[in-house]
């Protein structure tokens, strides 16, 4: 990986792309520290110290800790991620979107435009909800100064702050597209990587500061060791795939024969990526969010507070694990269609050796996909439980960096970025047939 970056910096045009990408990342992190007008930052800083992220941990993770600081980039990239997931799910349901997806580049450009519009709408909705939560004092529950975060709650002031937060999300979306067009590619993924990786040094130092073994260095070394093991495991599983061989029959066109090639269908063990973890986390936030907003003291509300708020209860862990496994199968089922793949293979004269074309091929693909999704879903569930186990073992849930959504995204984006750089290096160093 380091050799790929070193060779990229030796290539002039790739060096410009890398420096441009680094500049956008610095600009993105700078915006995450610019205060938003109308916020009492003394009260924010007083409440942030020692605050458990709780319900807003996932959004705060994707915003690079900008949400709880209430900066102009407080919403981060989360509205765009939500819009992308919604459009991807609606593509299976709405025939118009499915037809656009099959049109190629022009159809994908139209879907991207819809994603932008939906991102702005979600940003307005989420910004309004977060400001309403902050003004009521529920954003930092238990903090004495939580009700003084938004001093002026007039409609004009709230509307101005919502517009600023929405504009911040729009700027982030634009920065991501700049990286995709003029940088090394995968702009949105790079920004998500930047948001998550920015919190690693602070989390590691917080673990050292709160540790007791060897003045905190014992816990620090243990976390580093666990992090190396987890990263190696994630890289191993993310690279694992089941290659199904496909043979294409020869076709005679005139006097020439075409086809007859051999290829394969790569089915990844973790076909769903990090989406099941995001779905499960979001769904488990809903009961606790309802209790926090209603401030109910009924029996069901007390039961939710005892079992679903902190995240260290066995019932919460078991529910989280089961939801991840369920959403892994659900997302794979809607994102990979064995019947469509089998029909396309049959249309172009392709077949799996030993399997008849058509329906038997679709059944075989579905059988293989189900078999490899089981270990992939169990792996996702175990990785996502690491921060909760750290809460029980070290008392460091919010400061534990190597687990759950963070390590999956960081490693996945890192691997994809290295592949992008290597492919661009290969294009520029290709010698061709003439030497």
């Amino acid at each position: 990986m380091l050799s790929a970056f070193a060779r990229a910096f030796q290539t002039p045009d790739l060096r410009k792309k890398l420096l441009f990408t680094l500049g956008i990342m610095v600009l993105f992190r700078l915006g995450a520290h610019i205060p938003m007008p109308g916020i009492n930052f003394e009260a924010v800083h007083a409440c942030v110290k020692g605050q458990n992220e709780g319900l807003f941990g996932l959004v705060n993770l994707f915003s690079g800790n900008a949400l709880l600081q209430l900066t102009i980039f407080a919403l981060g990239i989360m509205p765009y991620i939500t819009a992308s997931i919604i459009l991807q799910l609606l593509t299976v349901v709405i025939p118009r979107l499915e037809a656009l997806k099959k049109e190629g580049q022009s159809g994908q450009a139209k879907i991207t435009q819809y994603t932008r519009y939906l991102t702005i709408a979600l940003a307005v909705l989420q910004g309004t909800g977060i400001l309403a939560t902050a003004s009521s004092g529920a954003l930092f529950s238990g903090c004495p100064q939580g009700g003084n975060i938004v001093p002026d709650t007039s409609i004009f002031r709230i509307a101005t702050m919502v517009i600023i937060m929405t504009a911040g999300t729009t700027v982030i979306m634009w920065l991501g597209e700049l990286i995709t067009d003029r940088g090394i590619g995968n702009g949105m993924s790079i920004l998500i990587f930047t948001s998550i990786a920015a919190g690693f040094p602070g989390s590691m130092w917080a673990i050292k500061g709160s540790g007791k073994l060897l003045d905190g260095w014992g816990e620090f070394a243990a976390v580093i060791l666990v992090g190396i093991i987890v990263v190696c495991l994630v890289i191993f599983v993310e690279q694992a795939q089941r290659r199904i061989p496909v043979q294409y029959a020869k076709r005679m066109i005139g006097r020439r024969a075409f086809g007859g090639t051999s290829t394969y269908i790569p089915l990844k063990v973790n076909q769903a990526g990090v989406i099941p973890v995001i779905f499960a986390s979001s769904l488990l936030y809903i009961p606790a969010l309802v209790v926090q907003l209603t401030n109910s003291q009924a029996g069901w509300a007390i039961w939710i507070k005892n079992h679903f708020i902190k995240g260290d209860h066995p019932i919460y862990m078991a529910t989280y694990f089961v939801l991840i496994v369920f959403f892994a199968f659900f997302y794979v089922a809607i994102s990979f269609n064995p019947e469509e793949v089998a029909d396309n293979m049959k249309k172009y004269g392709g077949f799996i050796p030993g399997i008849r074309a058509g329906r038997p091929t679709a059944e075989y693909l579905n059988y293989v996909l189900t078999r490899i999704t089981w270990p992939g879903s169990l792996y996702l569930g175990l990785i996502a439980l690491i921060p909760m186990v750290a809460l029980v073992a070290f008392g460091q849930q919010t400061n534990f960096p190597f687990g759950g959504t963070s390590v999956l995204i960081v490693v996945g984006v890192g691997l994809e970025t290295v592949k992008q750089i290597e492919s661009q290096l290969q294009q520029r160093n290709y010698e061709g047939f003439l030497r």
Side-chain angles (χ1 to χ4, degrees):
M1 182 178 70
L2 295 178
S3 63
F5 278 99
R7 286 185 290 124
F9 269 101
Q10 294 173 0
T11 308
D13 55 339
L14 280 183
R15 183 168 62 245
K16 291 180 181 178
K17 289 185 176 182
L18 286 173
L19 292 176
F20 179 81
T21 302
L22 290 175
I24 295 295
M25 292 167 64
V26 171
L27 187 63
F28 172 62
R29 289 305 303 159
L30 179 64
H33 292 86
I34 297 177
M36 184 166 52
I39 298 295
N40 184 356
F41 281 92
E42 294 181 357
V44 170
H45 290 309
C47 292
V48 164
K49 294 180 180 179
Q51 170 71 20
N52 190 330
E53 294 175 0
L55 301 175
F56 304 97
L58 186 65
V59 184
N60 193 51
L61 175 69
F62 284 107
S63 66
N65 296 325
L67 172 65
L68 295 183
Q69 300 286 348
L70 292 174
T71 63
I72 60 173
F73 284 178
L75 295 179
I77 202 70
M78 196 63 183
Y80 183 84
I81 297 173
T82 308
S84 301
I85 294 174
I86 291 175
L87 262 296
Q88 193 170 2
L89 295 176
L90 291 179
T91 302
V92 185
V93 181
I94 302 177
R96 170 62 179 165
L97 294 177
E98 187 176 3
L100 285 175
K101 184 179 179 181
K102 294 180 179 179
E103 286 182 5
Q105 186 175 0
S106 60
Q108 191 61 41
K110 199 70 175 177
I111 294 178
T112 303
Q113 193 69 18
Y114 293 156
T115 306
R116 293 170 184 161
Y117 295 148
L118 184 58
T119 299
I120 295 176
L122 290 175
V124 173
L125 184 63
Q126 293 181 12
T128 305
I130 289 172
L131 287 176
T133 307
S135 60
S136 65
L139 183 63
F140 299 100
S141 56
C143 178
Q145 302 184 34
N148 300 325
I149 292 178
V150 185
D152 186 2
T153 57
S154 63
I155 296 178
F156 177 77
R157 176 63 68 179
I158 295 295
T160 302
M161 288 191 285
V162 169
I163 292 173
I164 291 174
M165 296 176 74
T166 306
T169 299
T170 308
V171 170
I172 293 174
M173 187 167 53
W174 175 63
L175 293 177
E177 293 179 357
L178 282 180
I179 295 178
T180 303
D181 295 337
R182 301 176 57 184
I184 58 177
N186 296 329
M188 299 301 174
S189 301
I190 294 292
L191 294 183
I192 296 173
F193 174 89
T194 305
S195 299
I196 297 174
F200 275 23
S203 300
M204 295 299 300
W205 191 251
I207 290 175
K208 189 266 174 189
S210 61
K212 300 179 180 178
L213 184 62
L214 298 177
D215 196 21
W217 291 109
E219 288 84 354
F220 186 85
V223 170
I224 291 292
L225 181 61
V226 171
I228 293 174
I229 296 174
V230 170
V231 169
C232 292
L233 173 64
V234 171
I235 292 175
F236 178 77
V237 178
E238 291 295 326
Q239 298 287 83
Q241 58 181 223
R242 170 74 159 88
R243 296 181 176 182
I244 299 178
V246 178
Q247 182 73 34
Y248 284 92
K250 290 185 178 180
R251 293 181 297 171
M252 295 298 297
I253 300 178
R255 295 183 179 181
R256 303 183 62 180
F258 294 88
T261 59
S262 298
T263 183
Y264 61 87
I265 301 175
L267 297 179
K268 295 181 63 177
V269 173
N270 183 21
Q271 190 85 4
V274 75
I275 300 298
V277 181
I278 297 177
F279 279 3
S281 302
S282 303
L283 193 62
L284 281 179
Y285 285 155
I286 294 177
L289 182 62
V290 171
V291 172
Q292 190 177 50
L293 294 179
T294 58
N295 199 20
S296 175
Q297 299 298 326
W300 62 270
I302 296 175
W303 188 86
I304 290 177
K305 288 180 181 179
N306 294 333
H307 298 85
F308 280 86
I309 293 293
K310 200 172 181 181
D312 60 344
H313 198 278
I315 295 180
Y316 181 92
M317 294 184 183
T319 306
Y320 191 37
F321 185 84
V322 171
L323 284 176
I324 290 175
V325 173
F326 168 76
F327 281 121
F329 279 92
F330 172 76
Y331 188 77
V332 169
I334 66 172
S335 61
F336 185 87
N337 190 350
E339 288 80 7
E340 184 179 350
V341 175
D343 291 341
N344 290 334
M345 290 172 53
K346 185 177 181 180
K347 184 186 301 182
Y348 295 103
F351 63 93
I352 300 174
I355 307 294
R356 293 180 59 186
R359 184 177 181 83
T361 299
E363 293 177 351
Y364 177 76
L365 290 175
N366 187 53
Y367 169 77
V368 173
L369 193 63
T370 303
R371 290 286 297 272
I372 66 174
T373 302
W374 270 113
S377 61
L378 296 177
Y379 142 81
L380 281 177
L382 292 175
I383 292 295
L385 287 179
I386 289 178
M388 302 174 188
V389 176
L391 174 63
V392 178
F394 300 103
Q396 292 288 342
Q397 181 190 27
T398 57
N399 293 327
F400 194 81
F402 299 107
T405 313
S406 58
V407 70
L408 290 171
I409 292 177
V410 168
V411 174
V413 174
L415 291 174
E416 189 63 30
T417 303
V418 171
K419 289 180 182 178
Q420 287 272 357
I421 294 175
E422 288 180 345
S423 64
Q424 295 188 32
L425 282 171
Q426 200 170 26
Q427 291 175 359
R428 286 157 178 78
N429 297 329
Y430 180 64
E431 296 180 358
F433 296 104
L434 301 176
R435 298 188 179 183

